[in-house]
Amino acid sequence: MINIVLFGKPGAGKGTQAEFLKEKYNLTHISTGDIFRYNIKNETALGLEAKSYINKGDLVPDSLTIKMLQDEVERHPETKGFLFDGFPRTLAQAEALDAFLATKKWEVTATIALEADDEILVKRLLERGKTSGRPDDQDEDKIRNRYQEYNEKTAPLMEYYNKQNKFYPVNGIGSIAEITERLSAVIESL
Ligand code: AMP
């Protein structure tokens, strides 16, 4: 069982890389952003509740997010491991994930961070917004708010995982294939 947290700012390429890594290492990919968007599209109670936060670029409250993540993990009891993409994003989520995995005698194996400069990422997200249809990709103020949320609430997780010797930063600038190679080298060293 290996459980990888794919970490990085919005636009760093987590989703793109997750698509390759899940196939290569036979991992169950859980993207909390994708699950929220699915719920919004289908107008579920969870989707209605999460929508106002997401469309502003704010984080969805921990209580909703943690419950959703746990339900998703429970759906895959036979998996060889998870690839968490976009979760955890707060200290409370990281602690809840550790406690929840421990109840199953599992743990986070490694957190791999895709690193890139903010200005490059803002441009990338505005470009993605032209085709993604995501309201949170289309407005520079909302994008900047997502970075503020990241800096305040998510960045402290680097220290949290570093203290556990589970933090692996990777240069997130390069071709998709080059970055997949860098991530694979970390996974194969575990
Ligand atoms: P993403 O697709 O990962 O960029 O997520 C899109 C949006 O979904 C974020 O800006 C948040 O509003 C919400 N979201 C996704 N994952 C989380 C999380 N772990 N905690 C809180 N909000 C989240």
mmCIF file of all heavy atoms in Angstrom, residues 32-33 36-37 53-54 58-60 65 86-87 89 93 134 136 146, ligand 1:
data_model
loop_
_atom_site.group_PDB
_atom_site.id
_atom_site.type_symbol
_atom_site.label_atom_id
_atom_site.label_comp_id
_atom_site.label_asym_id
_atom_site.label_seq_id
_atom_site.Cartn_x
_atom_site.Cartn_y
_atom_site.Cartn_z
ATOM 1 N N THR A 32 -10.402 16.059 -4.680
ATOM 2 C CA THR A 32 -11.553 16.663 -3.985
ATOM 3 C C THR A 32 -12.189 17.753 -4.866
ATOM 4 O O THR A 32 -13.416 17.892 -4.865
ATOM 5 C CB THR A 32 -11.142 17.222 -2.606
ATOM 6 O OG1 THR A 32 -9.882 17.889 -2.712
ATOM 7 C CG2 THR A 32 -11.044 16.121 -1.584
ATOM 8 N N GLY A 33 -11.377 18.483 -5.636
ATOM 9 C CA GLY A 33 -11.937 19.498 -6.538
ATOM 10 C C GLY A 33 -12.873 18.855 -7.561
ATOM 11 O O GLY A 33 -13.972 19.354 -7.812
ATOM 12 N N PHE A 36 -16.108 17.791 -5.871
ATOM 13 C CA PHE A 36 -16.980 18.957 -5.657
ATOM 14 C C PHE A 36 -17.644 19.377 -6.965
ATOM 15 O O PHE A 36 -18.846 19.637 -7.007
ATOM 16 C CB PHE A 36 -16.191 20.136 -5.077
ATOM 17 C CG PHE A 36 -15.924 20.048 -3.591
ATOM 18 C CD1 PHE A 36 -14.646 20.250 -3.079
ATOM 19 C CD2 PHE A 36 -16.958 19.789 -2.703
ATOM 20 C CE1 PHE A 36 -14.400 20.178 -1.710
ATOM 21 C CE2 PHE A 36 -16.725 19.722 -1.327
ATOM 22 C CZ PHE A 36 -15.439 19.920 -0.842
ATOM 23 N N ARG A 37 -16.849 19.456 -8.050
ATOM 24 C CA ARG A 37 -17.437 19.910 -9.327
ATOM 25 C C ARG A 37 -18.513 18.941 -9.828
ATOM 26 O O ARG A 37 -19.531 19.358 -10.365
ATOM 27 C CB ARG A 37 -16.338 20.113 -10.390
ATOM 28 C CG ARG A 37 -15.577 21.426 -10.178
ATOM 29 C CD ARG A 37 -14.579 21.695 -11.282
ATOM 30 N NE ARG A 37 -13.427 20.805 -11.208
ATOM 31 C CZ ARG A 37 -12.365 20.990 -10.418
ATOM 32 N NH1 ARG A 37 -12.293 22.046 -9.640
ATOM 33 N NH2 ARG A 37 -11.374 20.123 -10.398
ATOM 34 N N TYR A 53 -18.517 28.741 -1.999
ATOM 35 C CA TYR A 53 -17.103 28.858 -1.604
ATOM 36 C C TYR A 53 -16.208 28.716 -2.835
ATOM 37 O O TYR A 53 -15.294 29.499 -3.055
ATOM 38 C CB TYR A 53 -16.720 27.770 -0.597
ATOM 39 C CG TYR A 53 -17.498 27.839 0.694
ATOM 40 C CD1 TYR A 53 -18.594 27.006 0.902
ATOM 41 C CD2 TYR A 53 -17.146 28.734 1.690
ATOM 42 C CE1 TYR A 53 -19.322 27.070 2.083
ATOM 43 C CE2 TYR A 53 -17.869 28.809 2.874
ATOM 44 C CZ TYR A 53 -18.955 27.963 3.064
ATOM 45 O OH TYR A 53 -19.659 28.029 4.225
ATOM 46 N N ILE A 54 -16.478 27.671 -3.607
ATOM 47 C CA ILE A 54 -15.599 27.350 -4.740
ATOM 48 C C ILE A 54 -15.613 28.466 -5.773
ATOM 49 O O ILE A 54 -14.563 28.878 -6.261
ATOM 50 C CB ILE A 54 -16.030 26.007 -5.368
ATOM 51 C CG1 ILE A 54 -15.781 24.895 -4.353
ATOM 52 C CG2 ILE A 54 -15.306 25.746 -6.684
ATOM 53 C CD1 ILE A 54 -16.172 23.527 -4.807
ATOM 54 N N ASP A 58 -12.635 30.459 -2.420
ATOM 55 C CA ASP A 58 -12.374 30.142 -1.003
ATOM 56 C C ASP A 58 -12.320 28.631 -0.821
ATOM 57 O O ASP A 58 -12.936 27.886 -1.596
ATOM 58 C CB ASP A 58 -13.528 30.650 -0.121
ATOM 59 C CG ASP A 58 -13.559 32.162 -0.012
ATOM 60 O OD1 ASP A 58 -12.532 32.800 -0.308
ATOM 61 O OD2 ASP A 58 -14.620 32.689 0.370
ATOM 62 N N LEU A 59 -11.650 28.192 0.225
ATOM 63 C CA LEU A 59 -11.689 26.762 0.552
ATOM 64 C C LEU A 59 -13.072 26.413 1.101
ATOM 65 O O LEU A 59 -13.704 27.216 1.792
ATOM 66 C CB LEU A 59 -10.635 26.417 1.600
ATOM 67 C CG LEU A 59 -9.169 26.483 1.175
ATOM 68 C CD1 LEU A 59 -8.279 25.947 2.283
ATOM 69 C CD2 LEU A 59 -8.916 25.690 -0.104
ATOM 70 N N VAL A 60 -13.518 25.201 0.808
ATOM 71 C CA VAL A 60 -14.765 24.679 1.378
ATOM 72 C C VAL A 60 -14.465 24.312 2.837
ATOM 73 O O VAL A 60 -13.354 23.850 3.146
ATOM 74 C CB VAL A 60 -15.213 23.435 0.564
ATOM 75 C CG1 VAL A 60 -16.455 22.810 1.157
ATOM 76 C CG2 VAL A 60 -15.439 23.824 -0.899
ATOM 77 N N THR A 65 -15.510 18.853 3.764
ATOM 78 C CA THR A 65 -14.467 18.272 2.910
ATOM 79 C C THR A 65 -13.948 16.958 3.495
ATOM 80 O O THR A 65 -13.749 15.977 2.770
ATOM 81 C CB THR A 65 -13.316 19.284 2.764
ATOM 82 O OG1 THR A 65 -13.858 20.541 2.368
ATOM 83 C CG2 THR A 65 -12.311 18.833 1.732
ATOM 84 N N GLY A 86 -5.232 17.503 -4.183
ATOM 85 C CA GLY A 86 -6.021 18.641 -3.674
ATOM 86 C C GLY A 86 -6.535 18.424 -2.265
ATOM 87 O O GLY A 86 -7.362 19.196 -1.783
ATOM 88 N N PHE A 87 -6.077 17.410 -1.614
ATOM 89 C CA PHE A 87 -6.423 17.120 -0.221
ATOM 90 C C PHE A 87 -5.199 16.473 0.423
ATOM 91 O O PHE A 87 -4.617 15.593 -0.205
ATOM 92 C CB PHE A 87 -7.611 16.154 -0.137
ATOM 93 C CG PHE A 87 -8.075 15.923 1.289
ATOM 94 C CD1 PHE A 87 -9.130 16.649 1.810
ATOM 95 C CD2 PHE A 87 -7.427 14.988 2.101
ATOM 96 C CE1 PHE A 87 -9.543 16.448 3.130
ATOM 97 C CE2 PHE A 87 -7.834 14.795 3.413
ATOM 98 C CZ PHE A 87 -8.891 15.511 3.923
ATOM 99 N N ARG A 89 -5.696 20.277 2.464
ATOM 100 C CA ARG A 89 -5.372 21.675 2.177
ATOM 101 C C ARG A 89 -5.338 22.519 3.440
ATOM 102 O O ARG A 89 -5.110 23.726 3.347
ATOM 103 C CB ARG A 89 -6.421 22.254 1.240
ATOM 104 C CG ARG A 89 -6.034 22.230 -0.237
ATOM 105 C CD ARG A 89 -7.246 22.715 -0.991
ATOM 106 N NE ARG A 89 -7.029 23.331 -2.236
ATOM 107 C CZ ARG A 89 -7.319 22.765 -3.415
ATOM 108 N NH1 ARG A 89 -7.730 21.534 -3.488
ATOM 109 N NH2 ARG A 89 -7.183 23.456 -4.518
ATOM 110 N N GLN A 93 -7.340 19.147 8.072
ATOM 111 C CA GLN A 93 -7.545 18.050 7.102
ATOM 112 C C GLN A 93 -6.397 17.053 7.161
ATOM 113 O O GLN A 93 -6.612 15.841 7.081
ATOM 114 C CB GLN A 93 -7.663 18.606 5.684
ATOM 115 C CG GLN A 93 -8.949 19.390 5.447
ATOM 116 C CD GLN A 93 -9.039 19.959 4.039
ATOM 117 O OE1 GLN A 93 -8.305 19.559 3.130
ATOM 118 N NE2 GLN A 93 -9.943 20.903 3.848
ATOM 119 N N ARG A 134 -14.436 26.766 -15.789
ATOM 120 C CA ARG A 134 -14.474 26.918 -14.321
ATOM 121 C C ARG A 134 -14.514 28.396 -13.942
ATOM 122 O O ARG A 134 -13.587 29.136 -14.260
ATOM 123 C CB ARG A 134 -13.231 26.267 -13.699
ATOM 124 C CG ARG A 134 -13.275 24.769 -13.689
ATOM 125 C CD ARG A 134 -12.015 24.174 -13.114
ATOM 126 N NE ARG A 134 -11.646 24.694 -11.811
ATOM 127 C CZ ARG A 134 -10.682 24.182 -11.061
ATOM 128 N NH1 ARG A 134 -10.013 23.119 -11.486
ATOM 129 N NH2 ARG A 134 -10.396 24.708 -9.903
ATOM 130 N N ASP A 136 -13.851 29.712 -11.233
ATOM 131 C CA ASP A 136 -12.720 30.097 -10.381
ATOM 132 C C ASP A 136 -11.408 30.206 -11.162
ATOM 133 O O ASP A 136 -10.379 30.581 -10.607
ATOM 134 C CB ASP A 136 -12.574 29.156 -9.176
ATOM 135 C CG ASP A 136 -12.355 27.702 -9.548
ATOM 136 O OD1 ASP A 136 -12.610 27.310 -10.713
ATOM 137 O OD2 ASP A 136 -11.925 26.932 -8.670
ATOM 138 N N ARG A 146 -7.376 32.370 -4.405
ATOM 139 C CA ARG A 146 -7.000 30.958 -4.209
ATOM 140 C C ARG A 146 -5.553 30.854 -3.737
ATOM 141 O O ARG A 146 -5.225 30.011 -2.908
ATOM 142 C CB ARG A 146 -7.226 30.153 -5.496
ATOM 143 C CG ARG A 146 -8.709 29.909 -5.736
ATOM 144 C CD ARG A 146 -9.011 29.571 -7.181
ATOM 145 N NE ARG A 146 -8.507 28.267 -7.576
ATOM 146 C CZ ARG A 146 -8.415 27.882 -8.854
ATOM 147 N NH1 ARG A 146 -8.781 28.690 -9.824
ATOM 148 N NH2 ARG A 146 -7.954 26.688 -9.144
HETATM 149 P P1 AMP B 1 -9.009 22.171 -7.268
HETATM 150 O O1 AMP B 1 -9.711 21.536 -8.414
HETATM 151 O O2 AMP B 1 -8.199 21.209 -6.464
HETATM 152 O O3 AMP B 1 -8.250 23.403 -7.659
HETATM 153 O O4 AMP B 1 -10.161 22.670 -6.268
HETATM 154 C C1 AMP B 1 -11.117 23.637 -6.680
HETATM 155 C C2 AMP B 1 -11.797 24.253 -5.471
HETATM 156 O O5 AMP B 1 -12.477 23.230 -4.735
HETATM 157 C C3 AMP B 1 -10.854 24.900 -4.452
HETATM 158 O O6 AMP B 1 -10.508 26.231 -4.804
HETATM 159 C C4 AMP B 1 -11.727 24.842 -3.199
HETATM 160 O O7 AMP B 1 -12.746 25.823 -3.234
HETATM 161 C C5 AMP B 1 -12.398 23.475 -3.339
HETATM 162 N N1 AMP B 1 -11.577 22.418 -2.717
HETATM 163 C C6 AMP B 1 -10.970 21.370 -3.335
HETATM 164 N N2 AMP B 1 -10.305 20.607 -2.453
HETATM 165 C C7 AMP B 1 -10.485 21.191 -1.240
HETATM 166 C C8 AMP B 1 -10.020 20.910 0.067
HETATM 167 N N3 AMP B 1 -9.222 19.855 0.312
HETATM 168 N N4 AMP B 1 -10.403 21.730 1.078
HETATM 169 C C9 AMP B 1 -11.211 22.788 0.846
HETATM 170 N N5 AMP B 1 -11.670 23.136 -0.359
HETATM 171 C C10 AMP B 1 -11.311 22.347 -1.402
#
